[in-house]
Amino acid sequence: MPEPGSIYRSIKLAAQLFGKPLESLAPAERHRLTRAADRQQEIETLILETPEAARVQLTAASVDASLMEIRGRYGDDDEYHAELLRVGLDASSLREAVTRDLVVEAVLEKVAAGSAAVSDTDVEIFWYMNRQRFRLGETRVLRHLLVTINDGLAGNERQAARARIEAIHARLLREPQRFAEQALKHSECPTAIHGGLLGRVPRGRLYPQLDAVAFALAEGMLSEVIESELGYHLVRCEAIQHERPLSFAEARQTIREHLEGQQQALCQKAWITALRRGGARP
């Protein structure tokens, strides 16, 4: 049976590389994952044998926080423990695997801290060479109203819910300025308390059915009734900010973080290469 660290590593890589559970991988994906897991295991073993790893002192709180994040992905304790059992882990072996993972991360973070600094000149040069890449996508200020469909709740059966939202829609066509009031009174979305305000929303943030309609509305326009798996919706577009290029001031921090990430990755790669060769570590 695979050791806990190997199981945990494979589950993490399945999510990182393919965005799906390990058991859902196609044969080609599983082959790619196996190769990646073998390489990662080799690197982790080398790292954990270093003096740097021996000096890492993890707190119980940091391990507990990582375990709580994993537990939070499941609805209840029964579902959580059933999943651990299914993949061949228990609370103890998962803690061991997470601890190992956190030690590796701590060492790599310390190595990355020794990377070359990124200067203001580096940032400016990158900006002038790549200005066309920095654009702010279209955003819209939207309000939303939801009536859910629930055949087990009086007044929310499909036909009743449809009738309710059609009546609201008719009122808003006559008096569109009442959207916030109507959302506060009738919406079953958490945004109701704010008059249905979703705020400034980029394309792709909403459910697909809502997104397509919301980004086709003119400013000040109310949608027709939209149906999704949640129920019936109305959307109002209050303002549109069209796509535009970012200024250097707006892009500066993003560029700096990108360049620092590159420098840190190079530093880590050089350090790991030295480990593999058995050479002196910086």
Side-chain angles (χ1 to χ4, degrees):
M1 183 174 180
E3 53 95 15
S6 175
I7 296 171
Y8 181 68
R9 186 181 307 110
S10 295
I11 293 171
K12 277 189 66 176
L13 283 172
Q16 291 170 354
L17 295 175
F18 307 106
K20 53 177 141 177
L22 182 61
E23 65 273 13
S24 299
L25 298 185
E29 293 171 334
R30 187 172 286 274
H31 178 68
R32 180 183 167 195
L33 180 138
T34 299
R35 293 177 59 189
D38 288 345
R39 289 194 301 270
Q40 188 165 318
Q41 181 176 8
E42 176 200 355
I43 292 169
E44 287 180 2
T45 300
L46 286 170
I47 291 172
L48 290 168
E49 291 173 350
T50 64
E52 289 84 353
R55 289 194 289 268
V56 171
Q57 295 184 342
L58 294 178
T59 64
S62 65
V63 179
D64 289 341
S66 292
L67 290 170
M68 285 298 294
E69 190 277 326
I70 295 170
R71 165 61 185 84
R73 302 172 195 169
Y74 300 90
D76 55 40
D77 285 341
D78 289 341
E79 181 186 350
Y80 173 57
H81 290 298
E83 178 64 11
L84 291 184
L85 182 63
R86 188 186 66 77
V87 299
L89 293 172
D90 57 26
S92 176
S93 59
L94 178 62
R95 188 178 191 90
E96 177 187 335
V98 167
T99 300
R100 173 187 172 105
D101 204 46
L102 290 175
V103 170
V104 170
E105 287 180 7
V107 173
L108 289 175
E109 286 177 7
K110 184 175 181 180
V111 171
S115 62
V118 173
S119 69
D120 291 343
T121 301
D122 294 330
V123 174
E124 290 175 14
I125 289 172
F126 190 90
W127 160 255
Y128 284 113
M129 293 180 66
N130 298 276
R131 275 182 293 182
Q132 70 281 358
R133 291 170 50 181
F134 294 95
R135 302 188 64 82
L136 182 66
E138 179 183 323
T139 59
R140 293 176 172 228
V141 177
L142 301 172
R143 288 189 186 270
H144 170 244
L145 192 152
L146 167 68
V147 174
T148 60
I149 299 171
N150 184 345
D151 290 330
L153 182 64
N156 283 74
E157 301 90 349
R158 177 173 293 277
Q159 187 173 352
R162 181 79 194 200
R164 286 170 57 200
I165 199 140
E166 291 284 7
I168 296 167
H169 184 251
R171 284 196 291 274
L172 291 176
L173 286 176
R174 294 192 301 270
E175 301 176 274
Q177 73 279 5
R178 294 181 62 192
F179 195 105
E181 170 213 315
Q182 291 291 293
L184 183 61
K185 287 181 178 179
H186 303 292
S187 181
E188 296 166 35
C189 174
T191 60
I193 194 171
H194 302 296
L197 185 64
L198 293 173
R200 189 169 292 281
V201 181
R203 191 183 294 272
R205 181 70 56 83
L206 304 176
Y207 281 98
Q209 301 96 316
L210 298 182
D211 197 74
V213 173
F215 278 81
L217 294 173
E219 195 167 293
M221 188 175 176
L222 175 69
S223 74
E224 296 296 320
V225 174
I226 309 160
E227 183 175 353
S228 79
E229 56 265 41
L230 293 179
Y232 296 114
H233 309 256
L234 294 173
V235 176
R236 174 179 163 85
C237 177
E238 298 209 333
I240 299 173
Q241 180 172 298
H242 296 286
E243 181 180 358
R244 63 176 177 82
L246 289 174
S247 67
F248 176 62
E250 291 172 315
R252 180 191 290 115
Q253 186 58 31
T254 299
I255 295 171
R256 182 174 295 278
E257 290 171 1
H258 171 73
L259 294 178
E260 286 175 346
Q262 284 187 328
Q263 293 285 55
Q264 290 166 3
L266 287 171
C267 189
Q268 290 168 341
K269 184 177 179 181
W271 186 78
I272 291 169
T273 299
L275 283 183
R276 280 174 153 166
R277 292 174 178 170
R281 295 183 298 275

